[in-house]
Amino acid sequence: MEEIFAVKGNIIFTKEFGKYEIIEDGFIVVHGKSIKGVYKELTEEYRNIRVEDYGDSLIIPGFVDLHLHAPQFANLGLGLDKELMPWLEAYTFPEESKYSDVHYARKVYSSLIRELWRFGTTRSCVFATIHKNTTKLLMELFADSGLGAYVGKVNMNRNSPDYLTETTEASLNDTEEILEEYCGKYELVKPIVTPRFVPSCSFELLKGLGELAKKYNVPVQSHLCENYGEISFVKSLHPEYKNYAEIYNGAGLFGDVPTIMAHCILVDEDEIELMVKKNVYVAHSPNSNFNLSSGIASIRRLVSRGVSVGLASDIAGGHSLSMMNVITSSAQAANIKWIESNRVDQPLSTADLFYLATKGGGKFFGKVGSFEEDYEFDALVIDDRNIPAFRTFTVEERLQKFIYTGDDRNIKERYVSGKKISEPKVY
């Protein structure tokens, strides 16, 4: 029988974009993996349940990283003085070639998962490489860790180095093998169809992947409108399509199943309209966008138009797995966008961005990222006593100080789907 228990502390989360829900010295009641309710005082029916009392600590939803490249963890901080396409050729592709080696992959992937745990990322959407066996290994390591993840075998059959170029047939067959094996294997770790992006996938491959996504009812992740050079290349490859998004749409990879598109910095009005219509998620990756000179996405504009948005580290274009770091970079990006737009695109508040880092991205996983009834209990316990404080702060102010000035050492406990998660093993 599933246990009913409660956690006690200063609870803060966001049901709605930009609006905190705060219960000081309150209780979250959890039954199995799901939240029964948030209370100022326990009701009579819960008087005798076990309580994990975290005192004056903050209790917040776990962070969600909507887009990262697992093999690029080994390249963190390298090559960030280049633009996207030269960076891929000089750093990313050579590194990804190493993941045919299971021993090397295990070493890097287990370290990555430990770092995600350390920074309080409880769910993530992850690119692996083209290699079938080490993609499976990454899924097994995630399952062992207790963290939630969508993991995708990357597909690439053109405009790529010979050592990373698949045949269309092999790419589709390997993808289907993973879908068959892993769709129902784990509750928290699932496969996701992952064409790298249009330049590296022929339309035949894209269409085949769209068919697989529908056949197995699995989500899709890729990249869209990240960089001017990339967009020009896509136009030269597919002049028959009016824009980048329509290529994915024509292949059945744009919202026919749940879909994430990373970046979306340079999307046009037609693409935004299509994203709203098909409920395509944007993974906003400000660190990567800055580092690779790609630009600043107008997140306020996308959100105001009804586009679903989550935040993402996008390592190793991004230089940090910390979602606190991503939140602060997102705030700075929005401030600059406000100035660039003659103060039309309003800045994003900490509450706005906290929502995007929790429930905004969490919605892609279902009822994740909030402390509402029937949501899965993904949570972080934040002990901020070591952050200098010379007066009394509100719970909201304490959260902001933690995001801007705290670090992983302030995260004392991590829960995923109702279970406390201990530090994953590194091989």
Side-chain angles (χ1 to χ4, degrees):
M1 187 174 177
E2 292 181 319
E3 184 190 14
I4 299 179
F5 68 98
V7 296
K8 183 173 185 285
N10 294 301
I11 299 158
I12 181 166
F13 63 105
T14 47
K15 286 183 185 177
E16 301 171 21
F17 179 70
K19 183 180 178 184
Y20 287 123
E21 304 286 330
I22 298 172
I23 304 92
E24 296 186 48
D25 202 26
F27 299 83
I28 304 172
V29 175
V30 182
H31 183 195
K33 68 178 184 180
S34 299
I35 294 166
K36 301 300 290 183
V38 180
Y39 304 92
K40 181 63 179 171
E41 299 288 343
L42 288 178
T43 58
E44 190 62 38
E45 65 179 310
Y46 299 129
R47 289 288 184 200
N48 297 317
I49 66 174
R50 178 174 63 86
V51 176
E52 293 272 2
D53 188 346
Y54 291 110
D56 195 42
S57 294
L58 303 176
I59 302 176
I60 68 174
F63 291 124
V64 178
D65 190 338
L66 216 50
H67 176 73
L68 67 97
H69 294 263
Q72 295 177 27
F73 180 60
N75 274 354
L76 209 63
L78 295 178
L80 301 180
D81 49 0
K82 295 181 180 293
E83 288 193 43
L84 174 65
M85 302 305 278
W87 173 79
L88 288 171
E89 292 164 6
Y91 286 92
T92 301
F93 293 153
E95 177 60 29
E96 291 192 7
S97 72
K98 299 176 184 177
Y99 290 80
S100 59
D101 181 342
V102 172
H103 299 293
Y104 183 75
R106 184 184 298 275
K107 181 169 63 173
V108 177
Y109 286 162
S110 64
S111 295
L112 164 77
I113 290 168
R114 195 270 305 272
E115 290 299 283
L116 288 169
W117 172 89
R118 187 164 72 88
F119 285 114
T121 298
T122 51
R123 310 263 178 159
S124 50
C125 293
V126 184
F127 281 54
T129 61
I130 66 169
H131 307 101
K132 173 179 66 179
N133 290 345
T134 51
T135 299
K136 291 181 180 182
L137 170 65
L138 181 55
M139 297 182 81
E140 298 292 345
L141 291 170
F142 265 113
D144 289 345
S145 76
L147 300 177
Y150 281 114
V151 177
K153 186 206 101 58
V154 172
N155 304 99
M156 302 167 66
N157 74 337
R158 67 173 180 180
N159 298 319
S160 305
D162 291 343
Y163 53 79
L164 283 182
T165 301
E166 313 167 282
T167 66
T168 303
E169 182 181 17
S171 189
L172 292 172
N173 287 343
D174 287 354
T175 299
E176 186 161 21
E177 181 181 321
I178 289 170
L179 297 180
E180 285 180 341
E181 185 173 346
Y182 284 91
C183 271
K185 188 170 184 179
Y186 298 116
E187 186 175 354
L188 293 176
V189 182
K190 303 284 187 184
I192 183 169
V193 169
T194 307
R196 184 176 213 108
F197 61 168
V198 168
S200 68
C201 298
S202 69
F203 191 78
E204 179 188 7
L205 177 55
L206 292 173
K207 201 164 187 334
L209 292 170
E211 290 166 0
L212 287 177
K214 289 174 205 167
K215 177 180 176 181
Y216 291 91
N217 192 28
V218 294
V220 168
Q221 61 179 353
S222 195
H223 300 85
L224 178 67
C225 295
E226 180 177 359
N227 174 276
Y228 285 108
E230 168 208 15
I231 293 170
S232 296
F233 190 27
V234 169
K235 283 181 179 177
S236 72
L237 292 168
H238 294 283
E240 71 276 18
Y241 282 94
K242 70 177 181 179
N243 58 45
Y244 200 158
E246 285 290 359
I247 303 167
Y248 289 121
N249 193 45
L253 292 167
F254 207 73
D256 295 358
V257 293
T259 301
I260 298 169
M261 288 287 156
H263 307 295
C264 300
I265 301 165
L266 303 167
V267 285
D268 64 27
E269 285 298 315
D270 289 339
E271 287 172 314
I272 293 173
E273 188 175 323
L274 186 61
M275 292 169 80
V276 173
K277 179 181 175 183
K278 304 290 289 279
N279 192 28
V280 170
Y281 281 69
V282 171
H284 177 45
S285 313
N287 284 335
S288 175
N289 299 344
F290 293 153
N291 290 336
L292 300 178
S293 304
S294 297
I296 302 174
S298 180
I299 298 305
R300 172 66 70 184
R301 175 179 167 222
L302 293 173
V303 169
S304 67
R305 292 284 296 277
V307 177
S308 296
V309 178
L311 301 187
S313 67
D314 189 29
I315 66 161
H319 56 274
S320 173
L321 277 170
S322 165
M323 294 308 293
M324 296 93 79
N325 182 288
V326 174
I327 290 172
T328 59
S329 294
S330 297
Q332 291 160 357
N335 291 343
I336 299 302
K337 200 69 181 178
W338 178 53
I339 300 300
E340 276 190 351
S341 68
N342 290 321
R343 306 195 175 195
V344 172
D345 290 348
Q346 291 295 310
L348 297 168
S349 69
T350 305
D352 294 335
L353 292 163
F354 185 66
Y355 173 90
L356 297 183
T358 54
K359 187 176 179 179
K363 286 188 298 182
F364 194 78
F365 291 82
K367 289 189 171 182
V368 169
S370 180
F371 293 149
E372 296 163 62
E373 186 177 358
D374 293 329
Y375 272 61
E376 294 186 52
F377 183 59
D378 288 12
L380 307 177
V381 177
I382 310 301
D383 182 348
D384 58 349
R385 286 176 296 180
N386 72 333
I387 297 175
F390 305 102
R391 61 178 178 83
T392 301
F393 295 110
T394 65
V395 169
E396 180 179 344
E397 288 172 332
R398 288 172 62 190
L399 175 64
Q400 188 175 50
K401 281 184 73 69
F402 161 66
I403 289 170
Y404 276 87
T405 69
D407 59 37
D408 59 280
R409 292 171 295 181
N410 298 111
I411 304 173
K412 294 306 180 186
E413 298 291 353
R414 300 140 178 93
Y415 290 83
V416 179
S417 198
K419 294 182 181 178
K420 194 181 292 185
I421 305 301
S422 57
E423 183 173 351
K425 183 178 178 181
V426 176
Y427 294 92

